[in-house]
Structure formats: structure tokens, C-alpha cells
Amino acid sequence: MNIILIILFVFAILIKIFPPKKPNFYYGYQLGSAKKSPEHWKLANQNAANYLILLYSFLLLLSAILHYLQYDAGLIVLSILIIGQIFIYYSIERKLKTPL
């Protein structure tokens, strides 16, 4: 699970460092109303990168702590990952619905 989290964390950092310039089907936040306008696209990708970096950092730290305490952290980390992804989706969509 840690390898997957590290890969996801690296991708989140890449989106933060190299945000997609314009809407596309390959790279960046693709959900909801992000493709409505260039401003929505930029805001969605900035927020998604920040939220994902926080989520993956937390999960890596939690996974390391639970591994140190010799707990099987797979189900716990996976559950928090899924809940975190849903929270990120709703948070970004709520921000996109407010006037820019």
C-alpha cells in the first residue's frame, strides 16, 4: 500500500508543480464542472493538487505509524483514501459553483 501512496503523492506533486494549462482528457482534475471555463479548470486543478498532497501525506504518515505499531493498516488506509477522495470531489465542486 505504501508504494501506491508514494506514486499517488508524486503525481499530486507533479500536478502542483506542472498544472495543466488548458482542459484536456489526459491530465488534471477531470470531474464535474472543471471544464466549464479556463478559470474553473485552473481553480479545480490548484485545489485538487493541494487537497491530494495533504491527503496522501496524511495517509503515508498514518501508514508508517500503523506499520511501526505492527497493525495491518491496509483496510484503514484504503477506507480513509476513499472517503478523502469523495470529500475532495465535493469540496472542489462546491468551490466551482460559487461565482468566480
Side-chain angles (χ1 to χ4, degrees):
M1 181 61 97
N2 284 340
I3 300 294
I4 294 170
L5 288 174
I6 291 169
I7 292 169
L8 291 172
F9 183 73
V10 168
F11 280 128
I13 290 174
L14 287 174
I15 291 173
K16 177 77 174 168
I17 295 172
F18 305 108
K21 304 287 188 231
K22 57 185 178 177
N24 61 65
F25 292 103
Y26 306 108
Y27 182 64
Y29 182 84
Q30 304 288 327
L31 302 173
S33 54
K35 294 182 182 180
K36 193 174 188 179
S37 72
E39 293 81 22
H40 281 85
W41 178 257
K42 184 177 179 182
L43 180 66
N45 281 287
Q46 286 174 345
N47 286 312
N50 292 335
Y51 285 143
L52 290 172
I53 289 170
L54 285 173
L55 176 64
Y56 299 148
S57 298
F58 171 73
L59 290 175
L60 281 167
L61 180 64
L62 178 66
S63 181
I65 290 170
L66 292 176
H67 180 73
Y68 176 76
L69 297 174
Q70 297 180 349
Y71 286 110
D72 183 18
L75 187 58
I76 295 169
V77 171
L78 183 61
S79 300
I80 295 172
L81 176 66
I82 292 169
I83 292 168
Q85 294 285 351
I86 293 169
F87 171 77
I88 289 170
Y89 170 75
Y90 283 111
S91 296
I92 292 172
E93 289 302 313
R94 187 176 57 228
K95 284 185 181 185
L96 292 177
K97 287 182 182 175
T98 59
L100 295 177

